[in-house]
């Protein structure tokens, strides 16, 4: 499992994201992960071997390096990128669960042929109902992780700048010892460079959150202004049906409009005045 | 996520490019990215380890290296290549959006063949023309900016054999010797030449697109 594996996993999630979500994913992969792998890792490659202290005292080099660099930038960025991309998997799991429910519904309604099953796998899930909440939670967690890591970076490496020289007094160094860091300018450039896409990602996440909330409110106001919803017709069915029919109806009211559209298109399922609650 | 994945992503864009765009993409991958990965990275591999200064003062070597090489050539080229290839993704996103719109129209009842929709080459006209032209324009700008950054940072494109360093803690002035200067100069000039060729291809593509649209407009009016 490496960055390419993560890319494969997350590309699947891409299909069910909003447009802003897809832009966010592209920024993550091209301007952060790729820059980390092809450039930043080689800049920090010799950070310990080229960390030189003005002393011949054995152990002083190691102790000073450990004192000034508790966690390397590269490891922090890797952790940040993994934690920031992982909430998207919540969405992937929810989509998989919904697809499983749709397949179950197809079996119950007698549409379990290969063509319908394939369509369930391929069609894009609408972000409504419980999926909307999962998606919003994933965006909130992303924002939180980004902010936390930016704060950690600031705490560990004040001002995001890499010093050329650090003065070390840790045992076993005799008195105060000058220690010189390897490639400080290049490291500062890349630290600032990685900061910019991180901020861009925070802005994109906030924009996506606002977009989702505004869209949900718009849908809800549309639903309120058009009170003839289809729920009544399904509840009408429930009173006079057997257990199997009840289960089908329950699944139908839980699903978003897409599966009903599909069934309606393909098998002439007639539902007069039907309006899905999450449209 | 490495150059191979970028190649996979950009390979998809290739389908919707002009012929000049396809040539540009080939030059980018073979003469720049591949040369960077298989050759240039090894030439610059020991740049700090073999940067030797005529002093025993600890820290002097680090400081002098940092002073004369604020950002390594390799990293600059990697950033340049990432920035130059990214505008093509704008085009890919626009094409995906156009396809999505056509699918939506199909779902709303218009008669469009789905198989044809998947395989068809989208023609570069209308809003896509503007997106495509903007992407070429950005490519040109990024190439020019990076060429300038190289020139500014390294005072010309030549790698000196010897640099004289006076930064603290070096005592007085110290001679420092750069590793493989001739090989580095050769590769710098090579990468510069290919960068120039890419800029010319981008300019040619821009002219081609503008001329094509002007001819279409004049045919419409006559």
């Amino acid at each position: 499992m490496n960055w390419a594996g993560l890319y494969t996993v997350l590309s699947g999630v891409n299909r069910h994201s909003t447009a802003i979500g897809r832009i966010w994913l592209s920024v993550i992969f091209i301007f952060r992960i790729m820059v980390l792998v092809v450039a930043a890792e080689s800049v920090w490659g010799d950070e310990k071997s080229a960390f030189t202290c003005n002393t011949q005292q054995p152990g002083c080099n190691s102790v000073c390096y450990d004192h000034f660099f508790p966690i390397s930038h590269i490891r922090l960025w890797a952790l940040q990128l993994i934690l920031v991309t992982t909430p998207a998997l919540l969405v992937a799991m929810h989509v998989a669960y919904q697809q499983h429910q749709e397949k179950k519904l197809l079996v119950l309604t007698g549409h379990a042929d290969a063509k319908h099953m394939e369509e369930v796998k391929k069609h894009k899930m609408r972000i409504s109902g419980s999926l909307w909440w999962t998606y919003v939670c994933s965006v909130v967690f992303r924002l939180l992780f980004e902010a936390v890591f930016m704060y950690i970076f600031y705490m560990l490496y004040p001002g995001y700048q890499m010093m050329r020289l650090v003065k070390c007094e840790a045992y076993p160094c005799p008195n105060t010892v000058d220690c010189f860091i390897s490639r400080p300018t290049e490291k500062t450039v890349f630290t600032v460079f990685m900061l910019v896409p991180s901020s861009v990602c925070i802005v994109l996440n906030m924009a996506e959150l606002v977009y989702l909330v505004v869209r949900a409110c718009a849908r809800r106001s549309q639903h309120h202004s058009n009170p003839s919803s289809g729920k009544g017709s399904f509840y009408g069915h429930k009173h006079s049906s057997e257990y199997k029919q009840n289960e089908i109806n329950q699944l139908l009211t839980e699903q978003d409009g897409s599966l009903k559209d599909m069934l309606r298109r393909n098998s002439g399922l007639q539902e007069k005045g039907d309006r899905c609650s999450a449209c | 996520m490495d150059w191979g994945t970028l190649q996979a992503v950009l390979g998809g864009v290739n389908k919707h490019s002009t012929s000049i765009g396809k040539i540009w993409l080939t030059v980018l991958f073979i003469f720049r990215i591949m040369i960077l990965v298989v050759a240039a990275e090894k030439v610059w591999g020991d740049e700090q380890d073999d940067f030797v200064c005529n002093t025993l003062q600890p820290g002097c070597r680090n400081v002098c290296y940092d002073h004369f090489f604020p950002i390594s050539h390799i990293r600059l080229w990697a950033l340049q290549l990432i920035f130059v290839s990214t505008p093509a993704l704008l085009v890919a996103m626009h094409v995906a959006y156009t396809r999505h719109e056509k699918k939506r129209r199909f779902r709303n009842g218009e008669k469009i063949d789905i198989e044809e929709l998947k395989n068809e080459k989208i023609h570069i006209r209308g809003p896509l023309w503007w997106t495509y032209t903007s992407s070429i324009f950005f490519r040109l700008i990024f190439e020019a900016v990076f060429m300038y950054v190289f020139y500014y940072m390294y005072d010309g494109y030549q790698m000196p054999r010897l640099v004289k360093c006076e930064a603290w803690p070096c005592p007085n002035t110290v001679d420092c010797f750069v590793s493989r200067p001739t090989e580095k100069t050769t590769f710098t000039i090579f990468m510069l030449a290919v960068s120039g060729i890419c800029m010319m291809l981008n300019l040619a593509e821009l002219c081609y697109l503008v001329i094509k649209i002007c001819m279409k407009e004049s045919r419409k009016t006559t």
Side-chain angles (χ1 to χ4, degrees):
Chain A
M1 184 74 188
N2 51 14
W3 293 115
L6 188 71
Y7 177 71
T8 320
V9 169
L10 289 175
S11 300
V13 176
N14 210 6
R15 208 151 32 114
H16 309 287
S17 302
T18 60
I20 305 178
R22 288 176 198 177
I23 297 172
W24 170 84
L25 210 68
S26 306
V27 170
I28 286 264
F29 277 111
I30 296 176
F31 291 101
R32 296 176 76 178
I33 295 181
M34 196 163 163
V35 169
L36 183 78
V37 169
V38 309
E41 277 185 355
S42 46
V43 175
W44 268 266
D46 60 358
E47 53 176 333
K48 183 147 197 271
S49 53
F51 181 78
T52 320
C53 291
N54 187 3
T55 178
Q56 288 190 326
Q57 170 66 46
C60 180
N61 235 8
S62 301
V63 163
C64 291
Y65 176 80
D66 186 62
H67 179 79
F68 286 98
F69 302 103
I71 310 177
S72 169
H73 287 64
I74 294 285
R75 258 68 72 186
L76 275 176
W77 281 323
L79 283 174
Q80 181 181 15
L81 288 166
I82 291 171
L83 284 173
V84 154
T85 44
T86 318
L89 296 177
L90 281 175
V91 177
M93 287 195 272
H94 195 138
V95 163
Y97 169 74
Q98 276 192 343
Q99 280 174 344
H100 174 75
Q101 292 289 91
E102 284 183 4
K103 282 187 182 164
K104 221 170 67 167
L105 179 60
L106 284 175
V107 167
L108 283 173
T109 55
H111 290 96
D113 52 302
K115 183 175 150 219
H116 284 125
M117 291 298 196
E118 270 308 299
E119 224 179 302
V120 164
K121 258 196 237 169
K122 285 189 187 158
H123 87 266
K124 179 187 156 159
M125 288 284 172
R126 215 180 305 166
I127 302 173
S128 50
S130 51
L131 184 59
W132 184 91
W133 286 103
T134 309
Y135 199 88
V136 163
C137 283
S138 80
V139 174
V140 166
F141 276 118
R142 275 186 225 161
L143 264 169
L144 228 84
F145 287 136
E146 292 273 19
V148 162
F149 272 91
M150 280 179 85
Y151 178 71
I152 290 175
F153 260 106
Y154 190 78
M155 289 297 290
L156 281 176
Y157 303 108
Y160 301 112
Q161 202 192 11
M162 186 66 81
M163 315 290 278
R164 248 184 203 186
L165 160 75
V166 289
K167 290 185 184 289
C168 178
E169 288 172 349
Y171 174 83
C173 303
N175 307 307
T176 305
V177 157
D178 290 335
C179 293
F180 299 90
I181 291 165
S182 140
R183 311 177 205 252
T185 311
E186 201 164 4
K187 285 177 180 173
T188 306
V189 167
F190 272 94
T191 305
V192 171
F193 184 88
M194 292 292 272
L195 200 69
V196 171
S198 191
S199 317
V200 167
C201 285
I202 289 179
V203 168
L204 284 170
N205 283 330
M206 287 202 280
E208 196 173 8
L209 211 55
V210 166
Y211 167 73
L212 285 167
V213 168
V214 164
R215 196 170 77 167
C217 293
R219 274 190 189 159
R220 189 157 290 194
S221 65
Q222 224 177 3
H223 176 70
H224 282 318
S225 64
N226 210 339
S228 59
S229 91
K231 268 187 179 171
S233 59
F234 288 118
Y235 290 140
H237 282 308
K238 255 188 180 174
H239 294 310
S240 58
S241 56
E242 298 166 10
Y243 174 74
K244 195 173 171 186
Q245 189 63 47
N246 272 345
E247 205 178 59
I248 293 172
N249 291 338
Q250 194 180 349
L251 280 170
L252 275 172
T253 51
E254 279 169 12
Q255 293 299 321
D256 68 9
S258 51
L259 177 60
K260 281 179 273 184
D261 285 340
M262 185 175 83
L263 286 175
R264 194 184 303 131
R265 235 185 14 249
N266 291 323
S267 65
L269 196 73
Q270 294 298 317
E271 283 146 13
K272 273 194 180 170
D274 171 32
R275 214 55 71 80
C276 74
S277 61
C279 291
Chain B
M1 187 75 190
D2 57 359
W3 296 116
T5 324
L6 186 74
Q7 186 179 15
V9 170
L10 289 177
V13 176
N14 209 6
K15 233 192 316 174
H16 311 288
S17 302
T18 60
S19 322
I20 305 177
K22 290 176 190 175
I23 296 171
W24 172 83
L25 211 67
T26 312
V27 169
L28 187 82
F29 278 111
I30 297 182
F31 292 101
R32 295 176 79 177
I33 295 180
M34 196 166 159
I35 295 285
L36 182 78
V37 169
V38 309
E41 278 183 357
K42 296 196 174 57
V43 174
W44 268 267
D46 59 1
E47 55 177 332
Q48 218 204 180
D49 294 332
D50 279 358
F51 182 78
V52 172
C53 290
N54 186 6
T55 178
L56 286 178
Q57 170 66 44
C60 177
R61 195 172 67 97
N62 282 11
V63 164
C64 290
Y65 177 81
D66 184 63
H67 180 80
F68 285 98
F69 302 103
I71 310 177
S72 168
H73 287 66
I74 294 285
R75 256 72 67 185
L76 275 176
W77 282 324
L79 285 175
Q80 181 181 15
L81 290 166
I82 290 172
F83 274 96
V84 154
S85 22
T86 315
L89 295 176
L90 282 176
V91 176
M93 285 196 268
H94 194 139
V95 165
Y97 171 75
T98 313
R99 280 230 176 96
H100 175 77
E101 285 294 297
K102 283 196 178 165
K103 276 191 194 159
R104 205 167 55 89
R105 277 191 279 146
F106 170 75
R107 260 196 249 131
N108 291 345
E110 284 181 42
K111 297 229 182 271
I112 298 175
D113 185 13
I114 272 270
E115 279 308 311
E116 192 194 296
L117 184 67
K118 264 192 228 168
N119 297 329
E120 75 169 304
K121 178 185 157 162
I122 310 266
H123 289 289
I124 302 172
R125 46 174 175 245
L128 184 60
W129 184 91
W130 286 102
T131 308
Y132 197 85
T133 317
S134 309
S135 79
I136 298 179
F137 186 69
F138 277 118
R139 275 186 226 163
L140 268 167
I141 301 255
F142 287 139
E143 292 272 21
V145 163
F146 273 93
M147 280 174 87
Y148 177 72
V149 164
F150 261 106
Y151 187 82
Y152 179 76
M153 236 184 241
Y154 296 106
D155 282 328
Y157 297 105
Q158 202 192 11
M159 185 66 78
R161 258 184 198 178
L162 160 74
V163 290
K164 289 185 183 289
C165 179
E166 285 171 350
W168 185 89
C170 304
N172 307 308
T173 305
V174 157
D175 288 336
C176 293
F177 300 89
V178 177
S179 136
R180 312 178 204 250
T182 312
E183 202 167 3
K184 286 178 180 172
T185 306
T186 310
F187 272 96
T188 306
I189 293 176
F190 178 88
M191 294 293 270
L192 190 75
V194 182
S195 188
I197 292 173
C198 284
M199 280 180 83
M200 282 178 22
L201 284 169
N202 284 330
L203 275 168
E205 197 174 6
L206 209 55
C207 293
Y208 167 73
L209 285 168
V210 168
I211 290 171
K212 199 166 89 159
I213 210 86
C214 290
M215 282 174 61
K216 269 197 184 142
E217 292 294 310
S218 69
R219 243 184 269 157
K220 263 192 216 164
T221 51
T222 56

